[in-house]
Amino acid sequence: MLDQLTGTASEHAKPFVADFLIPRLATLAVEQAFADGQSTLLVTGAPLSGKSHVLREFAEQTATSPRYAVFMVRGGRAGAGLFQRIANTLSGALEWAVTADDVRQWLRRLSCSSGDPMLVIAIDGIVSSSPIANDIEELAEAGFGPRLRLLGTTDDVHGLLKGANGRDSTALALVARVIQVEALKQVEFQKAREALASHRIRFLKGADFADEYRAPWLLRTLLAQISRDSRHADHEVALSSMLGIRFIDAVREQFAGAIDAARSFRLLARDFAADATQTSGELALEISHGFVVRRDALQQPAREVLERLASQGWLRTYRHAGGEDVITPLAPDLFLSELAYAISEELEERAAADPREAGRWLADRLEGVFLGDLVGAQAIRDLAERQGSFSSGLLAGLYDREPKVRPFTNGVIAFQMPDGNLQEVQINGDGTAILLDEAGRPLGDATDLEGDLPETLGPMAGWMILAQLAYLPAAVGGDDRPVLAGSLLLEIGICPFPLMRAARDPIGHLVHDIPGHGSLLCVENGVVEPATSAMEQYFASQWEDTDAWFDEAVSRNSLALLNRVLIALRQVQYVSSGGRKSWAKKMLKDRIEPAIAVILNSAKASSKRAGKTRRRTKGGK
């Protein structure tokens, strides 16, 4: 079974890649649960989170184990049930006819026998109400002994554990334990780096903070892109510490022959772009970390291609934890590309009426969308390629959505628990907070926040789209002179806090809080912002008019801007050699570090004067 499902990184129909497996914490949880006597385990999580890989890892680890024998079965909505699928396999192996009833009786007898190994039936992709799900429910209801274990993956665990009315528990719910698989945790990402290192692929400093690299599918896509490029056959590849707009170029090259799938994905993308319906909190979080489309948002053209795409392995449908029926593309890199083009079509229509308002719409629509900065930048790029240019009013509209720090003084916020569920918290204007249950009722007494009110940073999408555009040499405005990328970096570089994508499992980046100048990223993080990454790219490529740009950057007297320049130049020192390395060192020593010292000394002096004033006031009281 594993051989059938294993191929190269470029084979999207194959879930597994030869010689590439990321060890998962969920696999350790499976091993421990079985060792503790648990009979049934359901591994759940979003599509492409790595559920199938948990089965693969467990099967490979126990291939020579005297304790476990793993029998793998593919799930799905259609086809034969569990007993019949096992019968089909055994009939071929034993060379005589085995029936589903034979298997049913054999499993019950074996489960109550003694000795090792235990039989673990591993089912990948259980769908509620399917023939396989019905057979599993039958096994759970009849009961089975300790020598048989069930291990399954599912996108919709709720459908397996609740009855048709959505309230009563199934027999499976009484015996099953659920194990959640999410995006890669920090320790798992380190294992992923080791797996990629065996293919001579490494990341530059700062990648630990990039949430997109915690998606296993994206690491596989990067592996496929690099493996396909003969230029990298004989040397190590150093990947950027975050994903940039050039990624979409490689995706479009990779899928150049998949015209039918791309066309169908574009239909889905158009409906996603037009969907303004408010979603559940659970789905809103999912959209910020992956691509999911509400099924109810689909128009007739998209509905007509659903069944074909699903049968060809391009997408999966399931019911999300928030209650919505959703669709997940199983080639999210292709969907990302088509979403950018679909957004560009809407952007073109809006820009014809009012370019600046169109820019504001773009920022607002992609706020909270996974990789929305890449999508928005590529949408402008696609628009420019169709028209030959675009209005600089689009950039002005994006700039209008300036990120700000806002204290959250009154309202309800929600945070995601480790099990994937949401916990709501009521923040009160008097500085207290109280937990709420699912119905919005208080749980216990209010807690005094002691003045430490939560803050929100946003909106972020507009300026991050500008940062992605700064990777490109110039943004050519049809109604104005070309807008050079350096100009964009000067404007967005003054943001007084990090312009980073939100992380589901943040490890915590280091910042320096400097009164009057904001929260500045510590250089020890490496490059963790698109804007800083774009600066590093230009500094490393012997950018024209560099001296004039540095003169302007210093004249802005912005500590946030100069701090970003400092981090970018240090990265150039690290990745470059020869003259460029020496140039970066000289720029730091002669231009940037002295300019930063002047600002810091001024801030220190102001702080001392303010401190004296406060002491005098206190003494007067």
Side-chain angles (χ1 to χ4, degrees):
M1 179 66 73
L2 289 177
D3 287 343
Q4 293 175 11
L5 300 177
T6 302
T8 65
S10 298
E11 294 180 272
H12 278 275
K14 301 288 184 75
F16 307 135
V17 178
D19 302 322
F20 182 68
L21 178 65
I22 302 172
R24 301 304 303 265
L25 295 174
T27 307
L28 296 177
V30 167
E31 295 170 354
Q32 187 60 54
F34 279 158
D36 292 341
Q38 183 69 41
S39 65
T40 306
L41 297 174
L42 294 176
V43 180
T44 189
L48 300 175
S49 59
K51 301 183 295 297
S52 299
H53 291 74
V54 172
L55 300 193
R56 174 193 178 187
E57 186 182 4
F58 180 78
E60 291 184 351
Q61 288 181 352
T62 59
T64 59
S65 167
R67 185 168 177 77
Y68 300 109
V70 177
F71 193 112
M72 291 192 71
V73 178
R74 298 185 74 170
R77 186 176 302 278
L82 176 64
F83 302 128
Q84 186 59 56
R85 294 197 185 198
I86 296 175
N88 294 342
T89 303
L90 292 182
S91 294
L94 301 176
E95 297 184 350
W96 73 71
V98 178
T99 68
D101 284 337
D102 292 334
V103 171
R104 185 181 280 106
Q105 296 303 319
W106 170 63
L107 290 178
R108 286 172 180 160
R109 286 197 307 270
L110 180 143
S111 72
C112 296
S113 61
S114 59
D116 285 328
M118 299 178 194
L119 177 62
V120 179
I121 299 179
I123 311 110
D124 186 26
I126 306 172
V127 178
S128 60
S129 301
S130 65
I132 282 187
N134 294 337
D135 284 353
I136 294 173
E137 179 68 7
E138 178 188 328
L139 266 177
E141 194 168 24
F144 52 88
R147 202 176 167 208
L148 175 64
R149 305 293 169 90
L150 293 180
L151 173 62
T153 68
T154 182
D155 295 326
D156 180 18
V157 71
H158 180 84
L160 295 176
L161 302 183
K162 295 296 182 181
N165 59 15
R167 297 187 303 274
D168 300 333
S169 296
T170 62
L172 183 61
L174 302 178
V175 297
R177 174 181 164 186
V178 176
I179 294 177
Q180 190 83 20
V181 177
E182 299 288 354
L184 299 177
K185 302 291 185 183
Q186 175 63 10
V187 64
E188 294 172 311
F189 180 60
Q190 295 308 316
K191 293 296 184 182
R193 296 180 75 151
E194 294 173 11
L196 289 168
S198 67
H199 294 266
R200 293 187 295 182
I201 299 171
R202 66 180 178 88
F203 291 97
L204 295 178
K205 187 176 182 181
D208 286 341
F209 302 95
D211 189 56
E212 60 271 24
Y213 288 152
R214 304 302 182 89
W217 68 263
L218 194 133
L219 298 181
R220 171 178 172 156
T221 297
L222 293 172
L223 175 61
Q225 291 177 356
I226 293 169
S227 301
R228 210 169 48 247
D229 193 336
S230 59
R231 294 174 299 174
H232 302 314
D234 300 321
H235 61 273
E236 184 182 68
V237 178
L239 293 175
S240 171
S241 55
M242 72 203 66
L243 209 59
I245 191 173
R246 298 296 186 187
F247 172 76
I248 299 181
D249 294 340
V251 169
R252 291 182 173 178
E253 179 182 349
Q254 177 183 351
F255 287 100
I259 298 175
D260 187 55
R263 169 63 182 170
S264 299
F265 270 19
R266 188 171 297 180
L267 295 175
L268 298 176
R270 285 170 178 162
D271 291 342
F272 175 85
D275 186 12
T277 304
Q278 186 173 1
T279 66
S280 66
E282 289 87 350
L283 185 56
L285 278 175
E286 195 65 46
I287 289 173
S288 69
H289 296 288
F291 297 118
V292 286
V293 182
R294 287 193 323 113
R295 191 159 185 167
D296 288 345
L298 298 184
Q299 302 300 312
Q300 189 59 33
R303 291 179 182 273
E304 291 175 356
V305 301
L306 276 187
E307 185 175 348
R308 175 170 50 81
L309 288 175
S311 65
Q312 294 175 351
W314 287 104
L315 58 79
R316 186 174 300 160
T317 61
Y318 68 104
R319 176 156 291 182
H320 193 266
E324 297 97 336
D325 292 317
V326 298
I327 299 156
T328 292
L330 297 184
D333 40 2
L334 177 58
F335 184 82
L336 167 66
S337 170
E338 294 304 317
L339 177 59
Y341 197 90
I343 291 283
S344 78
E345 294 175 319
E346 177 71 16
L347 188 64
E348 182 175 2
E349 184 177 333
R350 291 174 178 268
D354 187 336
R356 190 160 190 157
E357 186 57 38
R360 297 186 190 115
W361 170 84
L362 182 65
D364 295 341
R365 179 61 191 88
L366 294 176
E367 193 73 44
V369 172
F370 181 56
L371 298 179
D373 52 333
L374 265 69
V375 172
Q378 184 61 44
I380 293 177
R381 199 175 172 199
D382 286 336
L383 171 62
E385 288 177 356
R386 287 198 304 272
Q387 295 185 334
S389 65
F390 68 91
S391 171
S392 58
L394 285 174
L395 305 183
L398 292 170
Y399 189 78
D400 287 343
R401 294 302 190 241
E402 179 183 357
K404 298 181 184 298
V405 180
R406 294 185 177 90
F408 196 94
T409 57
N410 200 358
V412 177
I413 61 174
F415 59 90
Q416 193 171 38
M417 305 286 283
D419 62 2
N421 293 321
L422 293 187
Q423 174 62 63
E424 292 189 342
V425 182
Q426 172 72 48
I427 306 296
N428 301 316
D430 60 0
T432 62
I434 188 167
L435 298 177
L436 304 177
D437 64 14
E438 294 180 356
R441 295 173 300 222
L443 291 171
D445 298 326
T447 300
D448 188 357
L449 295 176
E450 299 179 354
D452 191 18
L453 290 172
E455 293 178 335
T456 61
L457 305 178
M460 303 284 277
W463 281 33
M464 290 192 66
I465 291 171
L466 292 174
Q468 288 295 339
L469 287 172
Y471 278 96
L472 307 175
V476 182
D479 56 357
D480 204 349
R481 63 180 178 83
V483 181
L484 297 179
S487 301
L488 297 178
L489 293 173
L490 287 171
E491 299 302 329
I492 63 178
I494 64 173
C495 183
F497 54 81
L499 281 170
M500 300 171 61
R501 300 183 184 115
R504 179 172 293 197
D505 179 41
I507 63 173
H509 50 271
L510 302 174
V511 299
H512 300 283
D513 289 322
I514 301 178
H517 296 277
S519 295
L520 310 183
L521 283 165
C522 177
V523 295
E524 296 303 320
N525 297 313
V527 174
V528 299
E529 300 175 297
T532 310
S533 180
M535 288 182 187
E536 181 264 324
Q537 172 185 280
Y538 282 110
F539 297 163
S541 61
Q542 302 186 24
W543 188 15
E544 293 183 6
D545 300 324
T546 303
D547 289 338
W549 189 91
F550 274 88
D551 290 340
E552 179 64 24
V554 171
S555 72
R556 298 282 178 110
N557 202 37
S558 167
L559 186 57
L561 174 61
L562 294 178
N563 186 66
R564 289 182 168 95
V565 175
L566 171 75
I567 294 172
L569 285 172
R570 288 201 175 189
Q571 186 81 321
V572 173
Q573 274 190 287
Y574 175 71
V575 301
S576 301
S577 59
R580 210 59 189 165
K581 186 182 186 76
S582 300
W583 171 84
K585 183 178 181 180
K586 179 176 175 59
M587 293 300 294
L588 281 169
K589 180 181 179 181
D590 296 348
R591 303 292 304 275
I592 302 306
E593 290 174 352
I596 289 176
V598 169
I599 297 175
L600 287 176
N601 288 334
S602 176
K604 186 176 180 181
S606 297
S607 177
K608 286 183 177 180
R609 287 194 297 271
K612 291 179 180 178
T613 301
R614 284 193 296 271
R615 284 193 293 273
R616 286 196 297 270
T617 302
K618 185 177 180 180
K621 288 182 179 179

